[in-house]
Amino acid sequence: MPNTIEIRTYCGRLYALWLREFKVFLREKSRLVASTFTPLLWLFVIGNGFGSSVSLTATSSIEYQQFLFPGILCMSVIFSAVFFGSYIIWDRKFDFLKSVMVAPVSRGSIFTGKVLGGMTTSLIQTGILLAVGLAIGVHFTPLGFIETIAVILLLAFALTSLGLAIGSYMSSLEGFQMIVSFVVFPLFFLSGALFPLDKIPPWLSILTTIDPATYSVDAMRNIILGIGNRPLGLDMSILIAYTIVLGMLGTWSFKRMKAI
């Protein structure tokens, strides 16, 4: 069993790694603006544009923009978390990663610290969107707010791990962006963020079932709007399973990564 000193040392290393990622995020104010603008564009332009012609028969009392809101929250997490893996490539180019690798810190700790940094980034961005949601008529109970944050953190952990796993195998930012484009868009479009999943064809249903974002969108609709295709407990259980699997994949990939 680890003693108190070892636990404090481990937590101190994680904090130092998290703080570095958080300071990088704070210095890049344009990144926050750009990452917030795109979800807002989808929410208000697509939400109002499609909302005038889309009929949600099963949820006729809910406007399309409100139906879209949980999906836009997940969209923000998907894009920010997966693209967080690009910072591995930048750290490698500027030799920061090499200096961290030679320090008396395990690669698992480095990976965890970076994941926590990615989760913080996603949480800040979705926090802005949650405030916007209040303006369009989306209301939260205290328990519902806590559950929403839990879903966001689980999805952010899973997809930040996936982004770091991809980044650990890439040597160029251009190659990373190309590969990630084939990941983030299917994750978003197959999640049911833009449309109900109860009337889609069987072949598409198979793809949505293996998409981890599907369960986060459905969980948030359960929490925020009181609708969903599955019980909240089942959504959360599957999302936790994906988080564990992708976290293990990311850790394994990070440990095999070359620092140069």
Side-chain angles (χ1 to χ4, degrees), residues 72-82 122 126 152 155-156 159:
I72 297 302
L73 285 177
C74 292
M75 172 192 177
S76 177
V77 176
I78 291 170
F79 280 79
S80 64
V82 178
S122 298
T126 51
I152 290 171
L155 183 64
L159 297 186

Side-chain angles (χ1 to χ4, degrees), residues 201-247:
W203 67 270
L204 188 58
S205 179
I206 295 174
L207 296 177
T208 60
T209 301
I210 61 177
D211 182 359
T214 299
Y215 304 98
S216 61
V217 172
D218 195 62
M220 286 191 186
R221 288 208 175 109
N222 264 311
I223 296 167
I224 298 173
L225 303 176
I227 61 174
N229 297 320
R230 288 168 294 273
L232 177 60
L234 179 59
D235 283 328
M236 295 294 288
S237 298
I238 296 175
L239 190 56
I240 290 171
Y242 267 110
T243 301
I244 294 172
V245 171
L246 291 176

Side-chain angles (χ1 to χ4, degrees), residues 63-181:
E63 296 181 359
Y64 180 71
Q65 191 178 52
Q66 295 174 333
F67 176 84
L68 184 64
F69 180 72
I72 297 302
L73 285 177
C74 292
M75 172 192 177
S76 177
V77 176
I78 291 170
F79 280 79
S80 64
V82 178
F83 275 101
F84 191 82
S86 64
Y87 285 88
I88 288 292
I89 300 172
W90 283 113
D91 287 348
R92 189 184 291 119
K93 286 184 178 295
F94 291 107
D95 288 335
F96 174 80
L97 189 62
K98 187 190 301 183
S99 63
V100 174
M101 291 297 190
V102 299
V105 183
S106 68
R107 289 201 175 191
S109 298
I110 299 171
F111 173 80
T112 304
K114 284 191 167 293
V115 169
L116 292 176
M119 292 172 65
T120 304
T121 299
S122 298
L123 188 59
I124 292 173
Q125 293 173 185
T126 51
I128 296 173
L129 295 176
L130 287 171
V132 173
L134 296 175
I136 64 172
V138 177
H139 301 289
F140 303 91
T141 64
L143 177 59
F145 181 78
I146 294 173
E147 290 173 336
T148 300
I149 296 299
V151 173
I152 290 171
L153 291 177
L154 284 173
L155 183 64
F157 188 100
L159 297 186
T160 302
S161 299
L162 178 61
L164 291 173
I166 297 173
S168 66
Y169 292 104
M170 306 301 297
S171 58
S172 70
L173 188 61
E174 294 79 8
F176 175 84
Q177 291 174 338
M178 183 176 296
I179 295 298
V180 164
S181 296

Side-chain angles (χ1 to χ4, degrees), residues 6-85:
E6 290 176 340
I7 293 174
R8 288 181 177 177
T9 301
Y10 179 77
C11 292
R13 291 168 178 171
L14 288 184
Y15 174 75
L17 292 165
W18 168 84
L19 185 61
R20 188 258 177 181
E21 301 298 333
F22 183 59
K23 286 185 175 181
V24 169
F25 173 74
L26 291 180
R27 290 170 184 168
E28 298 178 350
K29 295 181 175 60
S30 58
R31 175 181 162 196
L32 177 61
V33 173
S35 60
T36 306
F37 175 76
T38 301
L40 290 177
L41 185 68
W42 277 82
L43 181 62
F44 288 102
V45 176
I46 301 298
N48 285 297
F50 282 178
S52 61
S53 58
V54 173
S55 175
L56 302 174
T57 55
T59 57
S60 57
S61 62
I62 299 174
E63 296 181 359
Y64 180 71
Q65 191 178 52
Q66 295 174 333
F67 176 84
L68 184 64
F69 180 72
I72 297 302
L73 285 177
C74 292
M75 172 192 177
S76 177
V77 176
I78 291 170
F79 280 79
S80 64
V82 178
F83 275 101
F84 191 82

